[in-house]
Amino acid sequence: MKNKLNELRAEFLEELSRATNNDHLRDLELKFLSRKGQLSELMGGLKDLSAELKKESGELANTVKKELQDKFEEMKKSLNSYVSKTENIDVTLPGNKISQGHLNPITLVQNELEDIFSSLGFMILDGPELESDYFNFTALNVPPSHPARDMQDTFYVDQKNKDGQYDLLMRTQTSPVQIRAMLKYGAPLKALVPGRCFRNEATDARHDHTFYQVEGLLIGKDISFANLKSFLELVGQKLFGPNTKLRMRPKFFPFVEPGNNGEYTCFLCQGKGCRVCKYTGWLEIVGAGLIHPDVLRAGGIDPEVYSGLAFGFGLTRLAMLKYNINDVRLFNSGDIKFLEQF
Ligand code: DAH
């Protein structure tokens, strides 16, 4: 009996050492450890032994049984931790959803404008957000102490420039890039400048300290007010559809002469009158005019040879109209619930 137990033990341990998966383990369990397995069978013979042998063999049988069960459990654990790391991957399960980012509605409108204007042969330009007083105001015909400065208060930087003057500010408009573009590229010139602007304003649903504009300019020979009108008509039709009409109303902007506000038939009600256009049928969209000769001169262009038109859109305002957004602060809020809607 003792010999048989030792043989069985050796055989079991040998087979266990070769087991590489759960099926092997299940077979081993059945063969050796189950109720009808070899160990039970052997132990069943104990009852036929003499009292003395029964005691000795019984003790050995119990030790062997415990050892084999322990070794078996050990193997099962190590095999399963290995298997779960390597083989137990169900490749048919659906994967984790990768969430997709969204473009800010301002970017969407900016992309649309860039498409329209590059199809008309305009360069798309950039300019600095931290601008000098000269480019933001003086070169645009708004010298120090000009009353037009009052309408565009901004954030001034507490640091002197290389000439020892405090003249750095966050730009209030994209218009300074008109001058930068003229100085860099000369005439003739067609450029569109989308960008971020800043004003020192109390914020509410319609005003924010940070917003976006788009500036445009077209400089060539004999550019007239008639060109400005037909050009703005074309832009309106591209933006809001072929039936869009333009109406121009005089307005003062220091860097153009004459200056005007361009209004388009409301794209929501087609001019019938609704909440968005305040029941007028018109939306005030674009400031524009013929570039003032002094501004051309500041850009190094001779106003006796060249003339040009300039215009400015509120990109943020356009996005609010287009997507029916009623609070300007949402754009910079970083609110994912807002952004996910676009
Ligand atoms: N810069 C003007 C503003 O912020 C908008 C503007 C008006 C731009 C007329 C222009 C223009 O180029 O011709 O209010």
Side-chain angles (χ1 to χ4, degrees):
M1 174 69 125
K2 281 197 219 156
N3 283 347
K4 280 191 183 156
L5 276 170
N6 282 330
E7 272 168 28
L8 185 135
R9 175 180 175 277
E11 192 186 339
F12 175 87
L13 291 178
E14 213 270 317
E15 286 193 29
L16 185 69
S17 70
R18 281 191 275 116
T20 54
N21 60 37
N22 279 329
D23 289 344
H24 291 162
L25 286 182
R26 216 168 301 122
D27 292 346
L28 265 179
E29 192 174 25
L30 263 180
K31 186 170 167 193
F32 292 96
L33 303 176
S34 67
R35 273 206 300 138
K36 289 193 177 149
Q38 292 184 10
L39 189 60
S40 296
E41 206 179 297
L42 252 184
M43 287 169 84
L46 281 172
K47 64 179 184 323
D48 304 325
L49 298 177
S50 67
E52 198 183 329
L53 268 180
K54 197 194 263 177
K55 186 168 177 274
E56 258 179 44
S57 303
E59 270 171 19
L60 180 64
N62 278 333
T63 321
V64 168
K65 187 177 175 186
K66 172 125 195 359
E67 184 192 351
L68 299 193
Q69 273 169 344
D70 287 352
K71 290 257 159 65
F72 179 82
E73 286 305 322
E74 224 173 77
M75 184 59 136
K76 195 165 156 183
K77 251 196 216 149
S78 80
L79 255 186
N80 281 338
S81 72
Y82 171 74
V83 167
S84 67
K85 270 193 221 121
T86 57
E87 289 173 18
N88 224 7
I89 300 164
D90 183 349
V91 291
T92 64
L93 283 174
N96 291 337
K97 199 173 170 214
I98 299 170
S99 54
Q100 202 181 354
H102 295 253
L103 290 180
N104 190 290
I106 291 179
T107 313
L108 293 170
V109 177
Q110 179 179 332
N111 288 347
E112 193 183 331
L113 280 168
E114 288 185 8
D115 280 351
I116 292 174
F117 282 89
S118 43
S119 77
L120 296 171
F122 279 62
M123 297 192 269
I124 311 295
L125 296 182
D126 232 348
E129 291 175 355
L130 181 60
E131 187 52 285
S132 72
D133 181 287
Y134 174 76
F135 280 114
N136 194 80
F137 290 125
T138 309
L140 290 167
N141 238 358
V142 188
S145 81
H146 191 290
R149 287 197 176 207
D150 274 0
M151 299 188 311
Q152 300 193 1
D153 190 16
T154 183
F155 305 99
Y156 290 83
V157 176
D158 190 12
Q159 190 181 315
K160 289 181 180 157
N161 67 6
K162 56 182 183 324
D163 301 324
Q165 287 166 333
Y166 291 105
D167 78 339
L168 282 179
L169 48 82
M170 300 306 287
R171 69 176 176 194
T172 60
Q173 47 189 351
T174 40
S175 309
V177 191
Q178 283 191 30
I179 309 290
R180 291 182 176 277
M182 289 183 218
L183 290 173
K184 184 162 182 188
Y185 298 104
L189 180 61
K190 286 198 275 186
L192 189 81
V193 189
R196 198 155 61 147
C197 304
F198 309 84
R199 292 199 192 166
N200 179 14
E201 295 210 293
T203 53
D204 61 28
R206 288 162 55 98
H207 302 89
D208 205 350
H209 48 71
T210 303
F211 56 97
Y212 287 78
Q213 286 191 343
V214 179
E215 191 80 14
L217 75 164
L218 186 157
I219 298 173
K221 287 191 173 149
D222 301 324
I223 302 293
S224 69
F225 202 83
N227 294 132
L228 176 65
K229 181 166 185 278
S230 66
F231 178 77
L232 290 181
E233 263 167 6
L234 179 71
V235 169
Q237 285 161 9
K238 293 224 175 210
L239 255 181
F240 302 120
N243 296 326
T244 306
K245 293 201 170 46
L246 167 78
R247 110 176 152 176
M248 297 170 93
R249 303 213 284 179
K251 172 138 194 218
F252 171 73
F253 295 103
F255 29 85
V256 283
E257 180 58 35
N260 68 94
N261 250 337
E263 301 178 6
Y264 293 117
T265 34
C266 175
F267 61 90
L268 257 187
C269 63
Q270 310 299 332
K272 287 185 203 75
C274 68
R275 209 173 47 84
V276 169
C277 60
K278 302 202 188 81
Y279 303 96
T280 62
W282 297 94
L283 289 172
E284 202 179 300
I285 297 287
V286 56
L290 294 181
I291 303 176
H292 195 289
D294 284 346
V295 173
L296 285 171
R297 266 184 220 110
I301 291 172
D302 184 354
E304 301 298 328
V305 183
Y306 289 102
S307 51
L309 57 91
F311 53 92
F313 289 92
L315 186 51
T316 301
R317 179 171 144 71
L318 214 53
M320 286 178 82
L321 286 170
K322 184 155 183 181
Y323 294 107
N324 204 4
I325 295 164
N326 58 13
D327 193 327
V328 66
R329 292 165 293 193
L330 285 166
F331 290 112
N332 290 326
S333 66
D335 182 346
I336 205 86
K337 284 199 210 108
F338 167 70
L339 293 173
E340 273 174 353
Q341 296 173 45
F342 303 95

